[in-house]
Amino acid sequence: MLENDLECVRAAIARIPVSRPISTVAAVDGQTLIGHPTLSRVSVGDRATVHAGAHRVGGEVIRLSQAGVVILLDVLAEGVGIGDRILFDVPPVWAPHQGWIGRVLDPDGQPLDGAPILPGMTDTPIEAGPPPPNLRGRLGQRLQTGMAVFNTMLPIVRGQRMGLFAGSGVGKSTLIADLARGFDADVVVIALVGERGREVRHFVDEVLGPAGMARAVVIAATSDRAASVRRRCAPAAMAVAEYFRDLGLHVCLFVDSITRFCEAHREVAVAQGETAGLRGYPASTATAIAKLCERAGPGVTESGTITAVFSVLVAGSDMDEPVADMLRGVLDGHIVLDRAIAERGRFPAIDVVRSVSRALPEAANAQENRIIQEARHMMSVHDRAALMIQTGLYEAGADPAIDKAVACHEALEQFVTINDGRDALAHFAKLRQALGSSPMQSDTSAVR
């Protein structure tokens, strides 16, 4: 049931501040400026508006000292001069509610789909902490995704946190949309961090479509927005997911991408005075990733769960680059998309051999685990012998394992592409047929 709109209006009016702190520009340095110290209370994270004549420049307070207030501007400081007036505002209130389902918003709660929207009645902190470890529930049952590979070889369970590692142009956004439409969930929350403006609309209207948006909330910060706004996008989406989780619902969260979140964090952190470290990322990057990811997963007992998929842009398929390496350590599995697979026309371009779901073996029964193990073994054998097979150096009969891998290779390749909306039992039967075995008997006694 939706909250009363009139009550939401009253709550929004009550939040309007009756006074605003004021300062003036003391110094300008690139995209940051320093305002004279003010006697009124100003906090890190407050918004600032610089009145440069008829020109208005927005920004965010990132550091405070006796020397003054340091502000990171949303745009270049062109036109800003010494003595220009600065007006401060508290951060916009983040108050999700059920009326946000089907909507597209920015990290400040402003609608991006052209229709008005109201905040809810209860403020929700964007930078919240995770549930206490000793009170969190356990991972839940295996999710039905409608996609054969995720129903079998790479299962995802309720409360699991998965990483999606891919280069540009290999089908990452399409795979996210397929999962968003197919996941067995009550609500889907999608964060589009640093995405191109045209791509946001294409993703919402064409890729996700009306069926996907019917249960989705999209939080988007396009690439032209300030670093501070892009950095807030993922935590804001997490806060929306937490709101629905606390209502006892199962939420699926997609963050696309953690790489752009880290790039925005780097810009803000360096402006705050942190020292750049490995490949330019400051030391706080790992903490920011862990803090975000730890908020996903099972809630406390009797509440809902957040099943999360975090995408990572890996340049040149470098799985050891800093963001990918930091993220793998806090997740419950990873999905690798390979450009070579995409180039030969197989979508989704999942490299099953390099991908892992840590929900196994508990997420499947003994018979299913045997099938998964055999399928992964056959794909691994074929990968190792691929060069010999392609160059004609391998002679049939030289190795029984390679012979079997070659025999079932095409069937396994086709199996990975299946997205027919059927359940795991049907997909396991197809996987067994692809391996050249007899149809599988129904046995779900050991499944979560």
Side-chain angles (χ1 to χ4, degrees):
M1 180 177 180
L2 297 180
E3 294 174 350
N4 185 283
D5 286 345
L6 182 58
E7 293 300 320
C8 290
V9 171
R10 288 174 177 166
I13 293 174
R15 296 185 184 112
I16 298 175
V18 296
S19 63
R20 301 170 65 185
I22 298 176
S23 180
T24 55
V25 176
V28 180
D29 182 9
Q31 203 170 334
T32 63
L33 60 82
I34 299 176
H36 286 291
T38 173
L39 296 178
S40 302
R41 177 177 172 80
V42 176
S43 303
V44 172
D46 284 355
R47 306 297 187 266
T49 304
V50 182
H51 292 246
H55 189 43
R56 302 290 183 270
V57 179
E60 180 175 319
V61 177
I62 60 171
R63 193 165 73 246
L64 299 172
S65 70
Q66 292 182 345
V69 181
V70 181
I71 299 168
L72 177 63
L73 299 178
D74 295 345
V75 295
L76 296 177
E78 184 176 350
V80 177
I82 304 296
D84 286 340
R85 189 172 60 157
I86 307 171
L87 269 66
F88 297 96
D89 272 322
V90 295
V93 171
W94 192 250
H97 63 101
Q98 294 181 353
W100 285 17
I101 295 177
R103 302 300 304 275
V104 185
L105 301 89
D106 72 5
D108 291 331
Q110 298 301 310
L112 298 177
D113 51 13
I117 196 167
L118 285 170
M121 297 174 60
T122 305
D123 297 0
T124 301
I126 289 180
E127 296 289 351
N134 60 315
L135 298 179
R136 300 192 80 157
R138 298 179 180 275
L139 294 180
Q141 64 185 4
R142 184 171 64 198
L143 291 175
Q144 302 297 330
T145 67
M147 302 182 70
V149 67
F150 293 111
N151 279 356
T152 55
M153 290 187 279
L154 297 171
I156 301 174
V157 302
R158 284 198 178 199
Q160 190 172 356
R161 298 170 301 194
M162 294 287 284
L164 176 58
F165 299 80
S168 59
V170 296
K172 170 176 54 66
S173 296
T174 302
L175 178 57
I176 288 175
D178 287 340
L179 289 172
R181 289 192 298 262
F183 257 140
D184 179 18
D186 299 310
V187 179
V188 175
V189 181
I190 302 171
L192 300 177
V193 185
E195 189 59 87
R196 292 165 290 178
R198 179 185 64 81
E199 291 297 326
V200 171
R201 179 164 187 179
H202 173 72
F203 181 86
V204 171
D205 293 346
E206 305 296 334
V207 181
L208 198 58
M213 282 300 298
R215 58 173 185 167
V217 181
V218 177
I219 310 298
T222 51
S223 58
D224 62 303
R225 300 296 300 272
S228 56
V229 178
R230 286 182 275 120
R231 188 194 180 283
R232 288 197 303 273
C233 186
M238 184 67 75
V240 175
E242 290 169 333
Y243 167 80
F244 289 106
R245 178 203 64 194
D246 292 342
L247 294 179
L249 303 178
H250 174 226
V251 185
C252 283
L253 170 70
F254 297 87
V255 177
D256 184 21
S257 67
I258 286 291
T259 303
R260 296 194 188 107
F261 164 76
C262 291
E263 290 170 350
H265 174 81
R266 176 174 57 190
E267 290 184 50
V268 175
V270 171
Q272 289 175 324
E274 282 196 57
T275 303
L278 182 61
R279 298 199 189 180
Y281 290 103
S284 62
T285 305
T287 302
I289 290 175
K291 182 178 178 182
L292 178 69
C293 294
E294 278 297 322
R295 293 168 64 182
V300 297
T301 307
E302 306 301 329
S303 71
T305 57
I306 300 174
T307 303
V309 176
F310 303 95
S311 75
V312 182
L313 290 168
V314 287
S317 300
D318 180 10
M319 288 290 290
D320 294 322
E321 62 93 23
V323 175
D325 195 43
M326 286 184 278
L327 192 66
R328 279 202 311 272
V330 296
L331 296 181
D332 306 315
H334 53 270
I335 305 158
V336 179
L337 301 187
D338 189 273
R339 186 175 303 280
I341 295 176
E343 288 173 349
R344 67 174 185 250
R346 195 252 277 169
F347 292 95
I350 299 172
D351 188 335
V352 177
V353 176
R354 296 171 65 200
S355 302
V356 159
S357 172
R358 294 179 184 170
L360 289 173
E362 291 84 0
N365 60 44
Q367 186 180 26
E368 291 170 344
N369 276 313
R370 286 194 295 271
I371 296 172
I372 293 170
Q373 184 178 8
E374 182 181 359
R376 292 181 66 93
H377 177 64
M378 288 295 99
M379 297 180 87
S380 177
V381 168
H382 191 276
D383 280 359
R384 291 198 302 267
L387 184 60
M388 290 193 301
I389 296 169
Q390 292 166 0
T391 56
L393 296 177
Y394 176 74
E395 294 184 3
D399 188 321
I402 295 179
D403 290 341
K404 184 172 182 180
V406 171
C408 63
H409 175 67
E410 288 300 323
L412 288 174
E413 286 281 293
Q414 293 176 9
F415 174 82
V416 175
T417 68
I418 295 174
N419 183 10
D420 57 8
R422 301 179 71 181
D423 61 16
L425 185 61
H427 287 150
F428 267 110
K430 288 189 175 183
L431 180 57
R432 187 156 186 168
Q433 291 173 4
L435 291 169
S437 304
S438 58
M440 193 176 102
Q441 300 297 317
S442 176
D443 176 13
T444 59
S445 58
V447 181
R448 285 185 183 271

